[in-house]
Amino acid sequence: MPSSNLNLPHLPIHHASQSYTDEPTRSRTLDLWLPRPLEDSDPKKHVWIVYIHGGAWRDPLQTSQTLLPTLKHLSPIALSKIAGIASIDYRLSPYPKHPDEPSKPDDAERNVRHPVHIADVASALNYLGAKWKVGGKDGDSEDDGGEEGGFKWIGIGHSCGATLLCQYVSRIGLHDSDIKIAGPVGLILLEGIYDLSSFLKNHKPPKCSPEIAQIYEDIVVGAFTESKEAWKKASPVSGKFTEEQWKEGRLVYLCYSNEDELVEVEQAVEMRQKLKDDGWSAGKDAGDGRIVERKALHGKHDWIWEDGTQIAKRIDEIVEGIAKHL
């Protein structure tokens, strides 16, 4: 049964902490918000929004609930085109030095490494496809994955959530059999990490203190081991984003704030070039092709989701841009 959602009257239906695995665990859950009963939405008019939070693959305080500020700012126009919104939680890498909730070695939910994070995301999306018709066939194409009568979807990821979405569409850490739904038609990538080796290189002395450099090394090693080859293979810039690989993709927003104090602008620059190399057109004037647009944000790294207004604006824009593909 849906729970009450008194703080979001424009999203009256809220399904909290839904398990997306056969054996429920505290991390492998997601939250769902719907502006109307699903049967009252039309796959030819409405899309799903799927959000993946950040937190450097390890922060227990960044969860599916980090989407709430954005939800409060969604416009009526955007909601009129949205069938539902999902926010995904996933298992985390170790963080024994967390100031408030340090991880413990025997906690299976907080001691995982790649590709477990992306495998959890894929499982959550398969659940959304099976139960909520996300990424299913719309009746126009026999090649779409999923069930008949399904909805197209747009992915939003902040920080490592953006990394995970790029890994998903390029199959990094996944097998084809792990994915049972059609891919997203659009992505909103916020302050993402796309090249792990560059990420570490840009956070070493003299660019930062030894103490800060150690934090970044702990993040990457904790999530991806000490292997530089593993970092390369797991990085989105090593993936494929061609039409053959990700045929549903139509629009990508690469969003970055020059005030970001945690992730450098070179990450967005590299990812934009990677998409261009794989056939994406830069800018708004690419007709009906596959378009990547840079979107300027303002504020520090976590302020982007803490405030939520800028993400809501990007949602307004992308649902309008995707509407012609429904």
Side-chain angles (χ1 to χ4, degrees):
M1 293 291 292
S3 65
S4 62
N5 204 20
L6 299 179
N7 293 327
L8 297 171
H10 55 298
L11 290 166
I13 304 171
H14 179 210
H15 297 266
S17 301
Q18 300 293 293
S19 176
Y20 56 79
T21 58
D22 292 336
E23 296 182 6
T25 71
R26 73 176 189 276
S27 298
R28 285 175 280 183
T29 64
L30 51 80
D31 276 77
L32 298 168
W33 295 267
L34 286 78
R36 69 194 71 81
L38 190 63
E39 59 269 22
D40 293 339
S41 291
D42 183 348
K44 297 188 182 299
K45 297 179 181 179
H46 299 98
V47 297
W48 270 81
I49 302 292
V50 179
Y51 182 81
I52 304 178
H53 67 78
W57 297 277
R58 66 178 190 166
D59 189 346
L61 301 185
Q62 293 204 30
T63 68
S64 63
Q65 299 301 293
T66 59
L67 185 59
L68 288 175
T70 296
L71 297 183
K72 293 177 181 178
H73 295 290
L74 288 176
S75 74
I77 293 175
L79 287 166
S80 72
K81 300 175 183 178
I82 292 172
I85 301 165
S87 188
I88 296 171
D89 280 322
Y90 48 90
R91 286 173 289 181
L92 302 176
S93 294
Y95 196 172
K97 296 179 182 179
H98 190 280
D100 299 312
E101 297 185 20
S103 60
K104 298 178 181 179
D106 60 349
D107 186 349
E109 301 290 294
R110 295 185 59 191
N111 281 280
V112 304
R113 280 175 163 159
H114 175 77
V116 172
H117 319 98
I118 187 57
D120 283 354
V121 169
S123 294
L125 286 163
N126 290 340
Y127 165 85
L128 289 170
K131 188 171 177 62
W132 296 94
K133 300 184 178 181
V134 176
K137 295 180 182 179
D138 61 10
D140 292 334
S141 173
E142 295 181 357
D143 296 327
D144 289 341
E147 300 293 330
E148 288 285 354
F151 295 85
K152 291 180 172 64
W153 63 283
I154 296 166
I156 306 175
H158 177 263
S159 195
C160 71
T163 315
L164 287 162
L165 280 171
C166 290
Q167 289 174 330
Y168 180 82
V169 297
S170 60
R171 305 293 196 267
I172 293 174
L174 297 171
H175 301 288
D176 287 344
S177 59
D178 296 325
I179 296 176
K180 296 179 172 60
I181 68 170
V185 290
L187 294 179
I188 300 175
L189 304 175
L190 306 153
E191 315 299 309
I193 303 161
Y194 311 110
D195 184 335
L196 294 165
S197 296
S198 175
F199 187 57
L200 282 182
K201 182 179 179 181
N202 279 288
H203 294 94
K204 287 186 177 296
K207 295 183 178 181
C208 64
S209 69
E211 293 77 15
I212 295 297
Q214 186 61 56
I215 291 172
Y216 280 85
E217 185 170 338
D218 288 346
I219 288 171
V220 173
V221 170
F224 298 95
T225 78
E226 296 180 355
S227 167
K228 293 182 179 180
E229 184 62 24
W231 304 344
K232 181 179 179 180
K233 289 181 178 179
S235 295
V237 293
S238 295
K240 292 183 179 180
F241 301 87
T242 61
E243 190 163 9
E244 180 181 5
Q245 177 69 26
W246 175 23
K247 64 183 176 64
E248 303 89 355
R250 290 295 176 267
L251 186 57
V252 173
Y253 287 173
L254 269 173
C255 308
Y256 184 78
S257 167
N258 286 326
E259 300 169 61
D260 192 321
E261 80 286 19
L262 299 181
V263 176
E264 67 280 6
V265 68
E266 287 83 0
Q267 293 291 322
V269 172
E270 286 188 51
M271 192 62 210
R272 182 171 182 265
Q273 186 59 53
K274 173 60 183 174
L275 289 167
K276 289 175 66 178
D277 290 345
D278 282 359
W280 290 73
S281 299
K284 300 179 180 180
D285 301 321
D288 292 330
R290 294 152 68 80
I291 303 169
V292 53
E293 292 186 39
R294 290 188 67 176
K295 296 285 187 177
L297 304 176
H298 65 83
K300 293 188 175 181
H301 188 78
D302 284 343
W303 172 251
I304 303 303
W305 66 261
E306 290 171 346
D307 172 62
T309 57
Q310 297 175 90
I311 304 177
K313 182 178 180 181
R314 299 289 89 83
I315 293 173
D316 286 352
E317 294 169 349
I318 202 166
V319 295
E320 180 67 28
I322 289 297
K324 60 185 175 183
H325 298 290
L326 294 178

